[in-house]
Amino acid sequence: ERYSAQLPCLHEGLNARDGTKYPHLNSWFTAMETSVPAYACRVQGNPSSWRKVLTMAGFGNAGVPPDVIDRMDDFNVEEARSQSEEERVIEQKLWDDYRSTRSWLALTPSAEAGKTLLNNRQAIVKDTVKRSSSLEGKGIPLDEKNLDRAMRALATILIYGTEDDGKYDELKQASSEAASVNGVYALAKFLDERMCVPRDMGSMSAAAIKRLAALA
């Protein structure tokens, strides 16, 4: 899993998921991600988190080479794209299977992300305010009251998800209004940058935040 995220950044063309070069390895990835709900929904790390490890590890005193940074940026753009309907349906089926024995979970991966934010809202707000000096000019409200409002708005958008989800239709109007709250997408971007998967939440839920972060 780690190699599949990091090697393409370090060596152009070295992709562990290339089914033509590594068919058995690619089959393992496919089987784990489509046939093992617990892995796909909660255990699996995400490429973005694994790539962050590269930036922390460093390469001597010179930092991360520019070509590696460029490749990482390219992959981040790809991961932030909107889901296709086919991808959404496949993901929801896995989530439904996973949730069938875990009734405390939200009805969708996106809603679970929103619930996690609400459950940890106070700690996240305090952590964000502590970093206020480095966040000035990034569009994030830096006082607790408005930051809390943006956090609740982001959670509302995540819990509603999309119209196609059809799970929390009663939040449609609230989600639409939440989208205009000051700093809501900038906050999503900040949380995406701080996210560690699967420590903070499962990869499907984290992906919902990343897609909103792309709107900042």
Side-chain angles (χ1 to χ4, degrees):
E1 180 186 297
R2 178 172 181 165
Y3 285 162
S4 73
Q6 293 182 347
L7 289 179
C9 298
L10 296 171
H11 305 281
E12 188 170 1
L14 182 52
N15 183 2
R17 292 174 178 267
D18 188 335
T20 58
K21 294 181 179 178
Y22 312 107
H24 299 300
L25 189 55
N26 183 62
S27 295
W28 180 87
F29 282 120
T30 301
M32 290 296 291
E33 293 168 358
T34 62
S35 305
V36 186
Y39 174 77
C41 296
R42 191 62 186 91
V43 177
Q44 183 181 12
N46 72 351
S48 180
S49 292
W50 282 123
R51 288 195 296 272
K52 288 172 188 173
V53 177
L54 293 179
T55 66
M56 291 186 287
F59 291 81
N61 292 322
V64 183
D67 54 345
V68 173
I69 290 292
D70 289 343
R71 293 182 195 128
M72 290 172 67
D73 289 343
D74 290 342
F75 287 122
N76 280 332
V77 170
E78 166 61 20
E79 286 173 34
R81 66 173 176 78
S82 299
Q83 274 186 315
S84 69
E85 176 61 11
E86 181 181 6
E87 289 169 335
R88 189 194 67 79
V89 169
I90 291 172
E91 182 178 277
Q92 186 62 47
K93 183 180 185 305
L94 281 165
W95 186 260
D96 289 341
D97 287 346
Y98 178 62
R99 186 181 173 277
S100 65
T101 56
R102 299 167 178 85
S103 59
W104 62 87
L105 295 174
L107 298 179
T108 68
S110 179
E112 184 66 18
K115 189 184 81 171
T116 301
L117 291 187
L118 288 177
N119 289 343
N120 296 280
R121 187 181 75 259
Q122 292 181 339
I124 295 172
V125 167
K126 289 181 179 179
D127 179 66
T128 306
V129 170
K130 283 196 302 185
R131 302 169 188 278
S132 59
S133 59
S134 63
L135 293 175
E136 289 186 8
K138 295 192 175 182
I140 300 173
L142 297 177
D143 62 283
E144 287 197 21
K145 179 180 178 181
N146 285 308
L147 185 56
D148 184 76
R149 184 168 182 253
M151 183 75 69
R152 291 172 182 269
L154 178 58
T156 300
I157 294 169
L158 286 164
I159 292 172
Y160 172 69
T162 69
E163 189 171 354
D164 290 332
D165 291 337
K167 303 293 185 181
Y168 297 96
D169 290 341
E170 67 275 16
L171 291 178
K172 182 175 182 178
Q173 182 61 34
S175 176
S176 177
E177 293 171 358
S180 63
V181 169
N182 179 44
V184 64
Y185 294 121
L187 178 60
K189 183 177 181 180
F190 170 69
L191 294 175
D192 175 57
E193 291 169 350
R194 296 274 294 157
M195 187 83 64
C196 178
V197 177
R199 181 195 68 187
D200 299 325
M201 63 181 66
S203 60
M204 290 180 182
S205 298
I209 293 178
K210 183 178 286 293
R211 289 191 291 271
L212 293 180
L215 302 176

